[in-house]
Amino acid sequence: MISLSLFFASCGDFLEPKSQSEFIPETADQLNELIISAIPDPSSSGSFTCGFLDVVSDDVETLAKYVDPRDPTTDLWYNQPYVSAVYALYTWRPGYATYMQSNGYSQTGIYSEVYQKLVYVNASLDYIDKVSGDMAMKNYVKAQAYTLRAFYYLHLVNIYGVPYTSDRNGPGVPIRTTAAKENRKMVRNTVGEVYDLVVGDLHNAIALFEELEPSLQYRQFRPTLPMALLLLSRAYLYMENWENAAIYSGKLISDWPRFQIKNLNDLVNDGYSNVHKDAFVSTNENVKRTQRFYPDFLTYANTDVIWLYNDAEDLIRLTAQEMYQGRSSRLINNETFATLTHASPGLVDSYDSRDLRLSTYLVRDLYNEPDYSNTSSSLTTGKYRAYGKLQISDDGSGVPSTTGNRFLPVQDTRTYGQALRITEAYLILAEAHAQLGNTQKATDALNEIWRRRFSDGNAPASYATGHDIVELTHRERRRELCFEALRWFDLRRWGMPRVTHNWRELSYGDSQTFVLEQNDPGYTFPVPESILLVNPDLTQVPLAGNGSARQPQ
């Protein structure tokens, strides 16, 4: 990998290159290597989500039962900085970043981290026509750079810009298409302008990729043609351009049969499930608490995976944290460990008890376990942690211990946290056709997913009836894409509905209810004050309550 200090910069100069003389690339191959520096992977430092995006959604709830410290001098369940971070986000504080930083939690860097990656992307495009190399390699570099730039801007504008569906002329994020220093103010472009860039870049990328030989159209760990197709269909979906969303998701599905929806029956048949088959009849405590998780969901061995990105540690930075009491030796029924965040009842209740995603996508929480002796107990009566589909730490037995094997995600420089998946293409196809009134085509796309989510291949009647076809596609997106940092974006584009979050007051356990109202300004993340201070031309978005802390109702 090429190390180019000219591409590093501080937030103070909006990631401007500090020098144009230290290194000048000379070949297309060098720029192809530079692209690696622009990819968010487990080995790179930085934050792509900071663990924010699931905490603010309706898929997460905080501890429903107050945990009273056994010994206030040593067992302070809440005396951990991440609790304040969760609180600031979970209650949608306009000043979340400042509040988090003042409480010792400094990971608020989505904005600056992503723009730093964009410097590498733009530098590749700046230099590619000035260096030596064959045209195929130059076009390959361009295709990758356009795909990555679109990927990043689509992410940024859906965090820091108002929803496209509410105001395409509203404040988006600054567009930067060169790594060179520009003598202009860095102000927000409109949301529509950002989407125009995203769509234009992806069309450019697709055209370039399609002229390349097949070996350059798809390479693992690299931006690819299938990635560009999925992102373009996602962008059109967010824009409510249903026709093009259907065209490009359908093109991906038809042109790339190597990608297939993972059949969860294969996982369960191999013994991977969050509940042992005898859990509700056995008297063996370990059998009741056994969980075994897939070894290959976020790997290229999974035919569902189009592209891997980000690290697991970033994604679950907040939701996998545990509160614990060090003096206890047991790990059962709130003796030792508790988790502040859980999967919300709304999410868990959206699954039929026969849905294999409930037993494979979610990690069962052993805190406050269900009564296994009760024959009416089922997978829908337990608590689940607010993460899933990740590589989970396990010694192979599936039985938790009090040291290190509590079904926490593996967090190292080799473990990915997110993926672009072919299943999303089917979900996009279904929703687009539903909006176009093509009910049968939408149902056919949903059935392609459902037949791989149930042991008999058939979804229950409740999944396919009782709601109009558009609502069915929305419900299916929630079930399938849970804890992939996409739910928040869906809520934004589906009319910014009213969301309530309950929080247990830290000292006395009193319940507080915070509300994100419909069309609330809180649906757009304010840019952290630390960024605004060094970028005075960057305006803030409208803030809920004029920036004051949201009060419980």
Side-chain angles (χ1 to χ4, degrees):
M1 183 182 299
I2 302 173
S3 176
L4 302 175
S5 62
L6 75 100
F7 295 127
F8 286 107
S10 68
C11 295
D13 51 14
F14 203 79
L15 305 179
E16 300 282 5
K18 292 184 176 181
S19 166
Q20 292 289 347
S21 61
E22 187 158 337
F23 177 82
I24 302 296
E26 297 179 349
T27 69
D29 287 333
Q30 288 177 324
L31 291 176
N32 188 40
E33 290 299 307
L34 179 62
I35 288 290
I36 297 174
S37 300
I39 298 173
D41 64 31
S43 64
S44 63
S45 61
S47 299
F48 190 68
T49 72
C50 291
F52 286 11
L53 296 177
D54 286 323
V55 174
V56 293
S57 80
D58 59 352
D59 279 353
V60 170
E61 70 164 1
T62 54
L63 201 65
K65 178 182 178 182
Y66 174 63
V67 181
D68 186 20
R70 311 294 173 85
D71 181 351
T73 63
T74 60
D75 297 331
L76 299 178
W77 293 81
Y78 289 101
N79 191 24
Q80 299 175 51
Y82 82 91
V83 176
S84 297
V86 171
Y87 178 76
L89 293 168
Y90 189 71
T91 60
W92 305 292
R93 284 201 168 211
Y96 69 98
T98 301
Y99 185 84
M100 292 167 69
Q101 291 167 343
S102 66
N103 283 276
Y105 196 92
S106 60
Q107 299 297 334
T108 58
I110 300 175
Y111 188 91
S112 58
E113 295 289 350
V114 172
Y115 272 106
Q116 187 176 67
K117 293 291 188 184
L118 281 167
V119 172
Y120 290 104
V121 172
N122 287 328
S124 299
L125 292 171
D126 286 345
Y127 282 102
I128 191 59
D129 290 327
K130 303 174 184 177
V131 298
S132 63
D134 62 64
M135 188 56 65
M137 179 54 67
K138 290 185 176 184
N139 287 341
Y140 182 48
V141 169
K142 288 181 181 179
Q144 293 179 88
Y146 283 131
T147 302
L148 279 174
R149 189 163 70 185
F151 170 72
Y152 282 127
Y153 272 113
L154 188 60
H155 187 66
L156 282 173
V157 77
N158 277 284
I159 296 176
Y160 299 110
V162 300
Y164 184 96
T165 50
S166 68
D167 185 7
R168 74 179 309 276
N169 294 314
V173 294
I175 291 176
R176 186 69 181 269
T177 58
T178 178
K181 188 175 181 64
E182 295 181 286
N183 186 24
R184 66 181 177 92
K185 294 180 178 180
M186 295 308 299
V187 298
R188 288 179 184 263
N189 289 81
T190 68
V191 171
E193 289 170 336
V194 178
Y195 269 87
D196 288 344
L197 175 70
V198 168
V199 169
D201 277 355
L202 290 171
H203 276 292
N204 286 337
I206 290 168
L208 289 163
F209 271 126
E210 288 181 337
E211 293 299 317
L212 297 172
E213 61 181 67
S215 65
L216 293 179
Q217 291 178 349
Y218 176 75
R219 286 185 173 181
Q220 293 179 351
F221 304 103
R222 287 284 192 160
T224 65
L225 175 53
M227 174 184 173
L229 289 169
L230 182 60
L231 289 175
L232 184 56
S233 64
R234 181 190 286 182
Y236 278 132
L237 187 79
Y238 288 6
M239 296 167 70
E240 296 188 347
N241 186 329
W242 313 121
E243 293 86 354
N244 278 324
I247 287 171
Y248 286 99
S249 58
K251 179 176 174 60
L252 171 58
I253 292 167
S254 62
D255 289 0
W256 291 88
R258 67 183 299 161
F259 301 111
Q260 295 291 321
I261 301 172
K262 189 173 186 67
N263 192 331
L264 298 186
N265 283 285
D266 296 336
L267 289 175
V268 174
N269 291 338
D270 289 338
Y272 297 106
S273 172
N274 61 28
V275 63
H276 193 282
K277 61 183 178 62
D278 297 325
F280 296 101
V281 296
S282 174
T283 58
N284 185 314
E285 183 179 278
N286 284 339
V287 169
K288 294 177 179 181
R289 298 160 59 222
T290 294
Q291 300 188 74
R292 295 187 66 228
F293 291 94
Y294 28 72
D296 67 343
F297 199 88
L298 288 186
T299 73
Y300 285 106
N302 182 356
T303 59
D304 200 341
V305 169
I306 292 173
W307 189 60
L308 293 169
Y309 65 102
N310 203 15
D311 61 285
E313 182 179 6
D314 173 66
L315 188 69
I316 48 83
R317 194 180 301 275
L318 300 175
T319 56
Q321 298 281 358
E322 292 180 328
M323 299 184 292
Y324 58 89
Q325 295 174 290
R327 62 186 174 84
S328 180
S329 61
R330 287 175 56 76
L331 172 58
I332 187 169
N333 292 332
N334 55 329
E335 288 285 339
T336 305
F337 296 93
T339 310
L340 181 63
T341 55
H342 292 99
S344 69
L347 173 62
V348 176
D349 292 345
S350 72
Y351 295 99
D352 183 273
S353 61
R354 296 186 296 110
D355 194 324
L356 298 180
R357 288 172 292 200
L358 189 59
S359 60
T360 59
Y361 279 6
L362 304 181
V363 178
R364 190 160 49 90
D365 196 349
L366 298 182
Y367 168 73
N368 199 21
E369 293 177 275
D371 180 3
Y372 294 102
S373 64
N374 184 344
T375 56
S376 65
S377 294
S378 72
L379 285 175
T380 58
T381 64
K383 287 286 186 182
Y384 295 88
R385 297 201 169 190
Y387 56 79
K389 290 174 268 187
L390 299 168
Q391 186 176 344
I392 303 298
S393 177
D394 180 16
D395 62 7
S397 68
V399 179
S401 70
T402 56
T403 58
N405 172 22
R406 298 184 299 278
F407 309 121
L408 293 172
V410 174
Q411 301 174 50
D412 58 30
T413 58
R414 298 167 297 173
T415 306
Y416 282 94
Q418 292 179 269
L420 299 180
R421 301 194 285 132
I422 193 66
T423 304
E424 185 185 351
Y426 283 90
L427 291 166
I428 292 171
L429 187 66
E431 185 176 349
H433 278 307
Q435 292 284 0
L436 291 168
N438 302 327
T439 301
Q440 189 57 55
K441 289 183 178 180
T443 303
D444 288 345
L446 291 177
N447 280 325
E448 285 297 311
I449 300 172
W450 286 337
R451 69 186 182 89
R452 298 171 175 89
R453 300 294 178 256
F454 294 86
S455 58
D456 62 0
N458 297 309
S462 61
Y463 276 34
T465 59
H467 305 278
D468 65 40
I469 188 63
V470 173
E471 178 63 20
L472 290 179
T473 64
H474 291 183
R475 288 170 172 263
E476 188 57 23
R477 280 186 68 90
R478 186 182 195 183
R479 286 187 285 255
E480 180 62 35
L481 300 177
C482 64
F483 304 129
E484 295 187 43
L486 292 173
R487 175 67 175 173
W488 180 246
F489 298 162
D490 283 343
L491 292 175
R492 282 165 45 90
R493 67 187 181 87
W494 290 337
M496 296 180 281
R498 188 175 190 267
V499 177
T500 60
H501 277 171
N502 293 316
W503 178 265
R504 291 282 174 174
E505 201 278 334
L506 303 188
S507 299
Y508 303 103
D510 297 332
S511 180
Q512 298 176 334
T513 299
F514 294 85
V515 177
L516 187 70
E517 299 290 355
Q518 184 168 9
N519 298 318
D520 197 295
Y523 266 105
T524 300
F525 270 87
V527 173
E529 288 295 327
S530 58
I531 300 295
L532 295 177
L533 286 174
V534 293
N535 291 278
D537 297 315
L538 186 63
T539 56
Q540 187 61 281
V541 292
L543 302 178
N546 293 319
S548 60
R550 194 179 298 265
Q551 298 300 308
Q553 297 188 2

